[in-house]
């Protein structure tokens, strides 16, 4: 099939799923946290409050659009556009379904673009995600947004290192950067985090570290300090009104969905699971949902880290551990144990 | 086609030269040096289409070297700012008698 | 061909804005646009691995460094960070003095040789651990030296 047609056929449903998922995530977060805190959450708008995201979006759209007088207008208006764009673009390489190949092998499909450099594309975009937030913080000409922007950049570039290194572990096992090759490897050798082979320990620890680093990249509690709602009001987003603020929030919820989908593909087999291959989409969505609920569960259970605790955790614990994991996985592959 | 890419890289390098010679802020000069290094990388990758993987590995080396150079260059600029409270290179000509 | 023309236009236009912008932060951000457009150009030149590396290292790394450098060296508050430039004629002369002979050399070469097969990440890896091994190891030592050097340079001595 023509690559552009293929991309559209898979990309449009994926885009719908991501946007709808992000909107539902706002509803889910409020109902789930309500459940954990024995209160209701939104129940009024629509059945069980399911139209609450629509109401939120309409409310945000009709708010007055204020740009501070001394702000850099062009950058201030441009900065919100990039975070959702980068997050959705990084979801273009995630396989969502599986088929059986001609010779009985499991092949991951349902990818918008099955790049040879699959995971590198995701990591490159994750590295780019810190800029629009810094630009937003700077363009608002506000000391607090500037502070928050610097903290977010520092956190983003620091946690990028364990994220990239731990994403290298399945790459070393599978011998390829392409995400469909990683899924094919897991089809033969067992899931990277849960198999019974010697590489499972390395895979499990790498999964945990990758998950934590993705949480830090997405600025979710406990790594929430740059945009802490109760301390810095909204951090970078303080000067943004109405729909621009909504776009930043949308990017954050999208990032949680994409981070869970990515962890599911890299470490938990993605579309693989017992049963016929046509259930691949269901398995992928199920695993993404489990990790997604885990993200929100963590968010409403833990305190947030202080800035220095955050940096300490990254540089003194996660980075050396990730380096050791990469070395161990290379040794395992060279020794023939994986 | 390769001619066009090399032309683009040459124009970019020339823009970098223009930036290095006209900018007065030390960081502005570093930014123009980055433009020149980028043009060189474009050149290397254009040639690697004809000559193999050596061109792309050289380009990767060049990228890593540029990162190291920017790190040390920015450290020096920060030191310059600390001692003089500005980074205008016209005012940093002490060695010229 | 049109894709190449569009990307080349973006590269050159943003390169021009880098060296002509009046605001230092704008200059750095136009550099980010140039680097991203160059990464797209790498994809058009059959170098996807290098495009990913360019995005990750150059835009993800160097632009962050530049922005932090700008933040550490500004005196005034506000979003207008001056970026003076003088000697435009001499600068343009120097640029043209480079450009004209180079263009002459480029367009004087009729043929660059046959195209090789697209190069994969595996080829680059084999190149690193094969013919370019010494350069690879030296590069790692250099990066370590640059890191340590930068930390030592900007460390504040305790009184």
């Amino acid at each position: 099939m023509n690559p552009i047609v293929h991309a559209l056929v898979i990309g449009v449903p994926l885009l719908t799923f991501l946007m709808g998922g992000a909107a539902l995530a706002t509803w889910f977060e409020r109902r789930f946290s309500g459940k954990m805190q024995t209160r209701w959450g939104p129940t009024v708008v629509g059945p069980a409050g399911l139209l609450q995201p629509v109401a939120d979006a309409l409310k945000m759209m009709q708010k007055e659009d204020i740009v501070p007088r001394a702000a850099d207008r062009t950058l201030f208006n441009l900065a919100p556009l990039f975070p959702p764009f980068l997050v959705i673009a990084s979801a273009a390489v995630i396989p969502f379904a599986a088929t059986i190949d001609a010779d009985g092998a499991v092949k991951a499909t349902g990818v918008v673009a099955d790049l040879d450099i699959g995971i590198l594309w995701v990591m490159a975009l994750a590295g780019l995600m810190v800029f629009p937030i810094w630009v937003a913080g700077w363009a608002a000409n506000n000391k607090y947004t500037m502070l928050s922007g610097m903290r977010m950049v520092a956190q983003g570039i620091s946690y990028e290192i364990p994220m990239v290194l731990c994403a290298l572990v399945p790459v070393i096992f599978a011998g390829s950067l392409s995400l469909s090759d990683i899924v094919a490897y897991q089809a033969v050798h067992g899931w990277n985090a849960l198999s019974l082979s010697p590489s499972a320990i390395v895979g499990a620890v790498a999964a945990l570290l990758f998950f934590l680093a993705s949480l830090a990249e997405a600025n979710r509690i406990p790594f929430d300090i740059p945009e802490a709602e109760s301390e810095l009001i909204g951090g970078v987003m303080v000067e943004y009104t109405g729909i621009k603020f909504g776009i930043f929030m949308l990017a954050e919820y999208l990032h949680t969905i994409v981070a869970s989908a990515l962890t599911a593909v890299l470490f938990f087999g993605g579309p693989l699971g017992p049963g016929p291959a046509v259930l691949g989409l269901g398995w992928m969505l199920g695993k993404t949902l489990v990790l997604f609920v885990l993200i929100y569960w963590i968010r409403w259970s833990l305190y947030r880290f202080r800035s220095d605790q955050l940096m300490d955790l990254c540089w003194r614990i996660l980075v050396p551990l990730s380096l050791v994991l990469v070395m161990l996985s290379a040794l395992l592959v060279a020794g023939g144990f994986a | 086609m390769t001619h066009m890419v090399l032309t683009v890289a040459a124009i970019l390098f020339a823009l970098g030269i223009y930036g290095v010679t006209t900018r007065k802020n030390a960081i502005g000069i570093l930014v123009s040096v980055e433009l020149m290094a980028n043009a060189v990388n474009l050149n290397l990758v254009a040639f690697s289409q004809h000559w193999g993987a050596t061109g792309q590995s050289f380009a990767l080396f060049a990228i890593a070297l540029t990162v190291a150079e920017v790190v040390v260059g920015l450290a020096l600029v920060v030191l310059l700012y600390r001692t003089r409270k500005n980074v205008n290179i016209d005012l940093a000509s002490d060695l010229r008698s | 061909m049109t894709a190449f023309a569009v990307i080349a236009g973006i590269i050159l236009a943003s390169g021009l804005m880098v060296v002509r912008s009046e605001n230092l932060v704008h200059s750095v951000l136009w550099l980010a646009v140039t680097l991203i457009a160059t990464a797209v150009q790498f994809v058009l030149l059959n170098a996807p691995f290098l495009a990913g590396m360019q995005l990750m290292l150059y835009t993800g790394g160097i632009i962050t460094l530049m922005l932090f450098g700008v933040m550490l060296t500004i005196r005034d508050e506000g979003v207008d960070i001056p970026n003076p430039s003088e000697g435009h004629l001499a600068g343009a002369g120097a640029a043209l003095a480079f450009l004209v002979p180079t263009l002459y050399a480029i367009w004087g070469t009729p043929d660059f040789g046959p195209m090789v097969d697209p190069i994969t990440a595996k080829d680059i890896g084999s190149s690193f651990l094969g013919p370019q091994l010494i350069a690879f190891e030296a590069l790692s030592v250099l990066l370590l030296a640059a890191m340590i050097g930068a930390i030592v340079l900007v460390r504040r001595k305790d009184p």
Side-chain angles (χ1 to χ4, degrees):
Chain A
M1 197 189 310
N2 187 3
I4 298 185
V5 174
H6 176 92
L8 279 178
V9 162
I10 299 193
V12 171
L14 177 63
L15 192 59
T16 318
F17 162 69
L18 282 178
M19 290 300 205
L24 272 181
T26 60
W27 171 85
F28 173 77
E29 166 152 47
R30 293 165 70 174
R31 285 303 292 256
F32 187 67
S33 62
K35 204 74 169 166
M36 287 174 71
Q37 297 171 349
T38 57
R39 55 181 173 85
W40 281 109
T43 51
V44 176
V45 188
L50 274 170
L51 289 181
Q52 183 71 34
V54 177
D56 284 339
L58 284 175
K59 175 195 83 167
M60 276 187 205
M61 275 193 256
Q62 50 97 30
K63 284 197 188 278
E64 180 189 357
D65 185 40
I66 304 177
V67 177
R69 195 188 312 146
D72 193 331
R73 282 196 88 94
T74 341
L75 288 180
F76 189 81
N77 289 327
L78 271 182
L81 295 179
F82 290 97
F85 163 67
L86 290 171
V87 174
I88 296 176
S90 69
V93 289
I94 302 180
F96 281 95
T99 56
I100 304 282
D101 213 356
D103 28 276
V106 177
K107 185 165 150 28
T109 56
V111 192
V112 172
D114 191 9
L115 298 177
D116 281 334
I117 55 159
I119 195 68
L120 182 59
W121 168 254
V122 177
M123 294 299 132
L125 288 181
L128 278 182
M129 260 181 247
V130 293
F131 285 122
I133 303 193
W134 187 89
V135 170
W138 181 80
N141 198 11
N142 181 338
K143 285 185 187 50
Y144 300 104
T145 62
M146 192 66 244
L147 264 181
S148 162
M150 299 293 261
R151 276 188 188 171
M152 223 176 241
V153 169
Q155 180 181 324
I157 63 177
S158 307
Y159 277 91
E160 199 185 323
I161 298 177
M163 192 166 80
V164 171
L165 286 175
C166 291
L168 269 185
V169 169
V171 166
I172 294 179
F173 284 154
S176 162
L177 287 167
S178 159
L179 279 176
S180 50
D181 284 348
I182 294 178
V183 171
Y185 170 85
Q186 292 183 80
V188 174
H189 290 97
W191 298 351
N192 278 326
L194 290 183
S195 67
L196 295 172
S197 53
S199 56
I201 302 177
V202 176
V205 180
L208 179 67
L209 293 191
F210 182 79
F211 189 63
L212 287 178
S214 305
L215 272 187
E217 285 286 321
N219 290 321
R220 301 291 301 182
I221 292 183
F223 304 103
D224 182 88
I225 195 70
E227 56 165 59
E229 279 166 17
S230 46
E231 298 181 49
L232 286 175
I233 310 165
V236 183
M237 302 172 268
V238 148
E239 296 281 356
Y240 281 99
T241 55
I243 199 63
K244 292 183 203 153
F245 174 77
I247 295 179
F248 272 117
M249 287 279 103
L250 177 77
E252 187 175 314
Y253 286 109
L254 277 172
H255 202 144
T256 57
I257 301 180
V258 172
S260 5
L262 206 54
T263 316
V265 165
L266 281 178
F267 295 100
F268 291 100
L272 301 174
V278 74
L279 291 179
L281 180 64
W283 282 114
M284 180 68 186
L285 290 179
K287 290 175 200 174
T288 308
L289 187 65
V290 167
L291 289 166
F292 176 79
V293 169
L294 191 61
I295 293 182
Y296 287 86
W297 194 355
I298 293 178
R299 187 235 186 275
W300 286 100
S301 312
L302 296 181
Y303 300 131
R304 78 173 48 98
F305 285 145
R306 237 177 24 230
S307 259
D308 61 316
Q309 288 171 335
L310 205 127
M311 288 296 149
D312 193 58
L313 176 68
C314 175
W315 288 103
R316 294 197 5 197
I317 302 178
L318 292 188
V319 167
L321 200 49
S322 315
L323 287 170
V324 165
L325 282 176
V326 167
M327 275 199 307
L328 277 180
S329 57
L331 284 175
L332 281 173
V333 169
F337 288 111
Chain B
M1 173 61 181
T2 312
H3 291 98
M4 305 292 296
V5 180
L6 294 180
T7 312
V8 169
I11 299 179
L12 202 61
F13 195 89
L15 283 174
I17 293 182
Y18 174 73
V20 168
T21 48
T22 57
R23 289 292 195 198
K24 294 296 163 225
N25 191 326
I27 299 194
I29 297 181
L30 270 177
V31 166
S32 308
V33 170
E34 283 313 303
L35 261 192
M36 289 161 63
N38 197 33
V40 166
N41 280 338
L42 200 51
N43 229 330
L44 281 170
V45 172
F47 274 121
S48 87
Q49 272 190 308
H50 295 277
W51 290 358
T54 314
Q56 291 194 12
S57 47
F58 272 17
L60 266 176
F61 284 138
I63 292 180
L65 283 168
T66 318
V67 170
E69 163 230 328
V70 165
V71 163
V72 177
L74 276 175
L76 288 174
V77 168
V78 166
L79 268 183
L80 185 69
Y81 179 77
R82 256 191 225 164
T83 52
R84 290 161 185 274
K85 296 302 171 220
N86 68 19
V87 284
N88 193 334
I89 58 162
D90 275 343
L91 304 174
S93 54
D94 288 351
L95 279 180
R96 189 192 304 163
S97 56
Chain C
M1 194 61 199
T2 49
F4 168 73
V6 168
I7 296 297
I10 295 179
I11 293 179
L12 292 178
S14 48
L16 189 64
M17 289 306 296
V18 168
V19 295
R20 295 288 300 167
S21 172
E22 292 292 323
N23 186 332
L24 189 54
V25 176
H26 285 187
S27 187
V28 175
L29 291 175
W30 279 117
L31 180 68
V33 173
T34 312
L35 295 175
I36 296 177
T38 315
V40 177
Q41 179 70 294
F42 283 171
V43 171
L44 289 174
L45 287 173
N46 282 326
F49 182 72
L50 217 63
M53 280 296 158
Q54 161 103 353
L55 277 179
M56 213 162 77
L57 293 174
Y58 252 118
T59 49
I62 288 190
I63 300 292
T64 312
L65 282 171
M66 296 281 186
L67 288 174
F68 267 84
V70 168
M71 288 298 113
L72 286 171
T73 56
I74 54 176
R75 305 191 54 189
D76 311 315
E77 314 241 332
V79 293
D80 291 319
I81 302 183
N83 197 1
S85 55
E86 291 169 23
H88 298 272
L89 216 51
L96 280 176
F98 164 77
L99 191 59
V100 171
T102 312
L103 285 180
Y104 182 70
I106 292 174
W107 289 96
T109 316
D111 183 26
F112 289 107
M115 300 275 222
V116 299
D117 301 325
I119 297 164
T120 60
K122 204 172 271 229
D123 294 333
I124 302 183
S126 316
S127 168
F128 269 176
L129 291 177
Q132 319 285 343
L133 178 63
I134 297 184
F136 180 54
E137 300 296 333
L139 184 67
S140 55
V141 175
L142 174 91
L143 285 173
L144 180 67
M147 258 199 300
I148 297 181
I151 294 176
V152 166
L153 273 177
V154 295
R155 190 180 49 152
R156 287 186 202 266
K157 316 268 187 306
D158 295 327

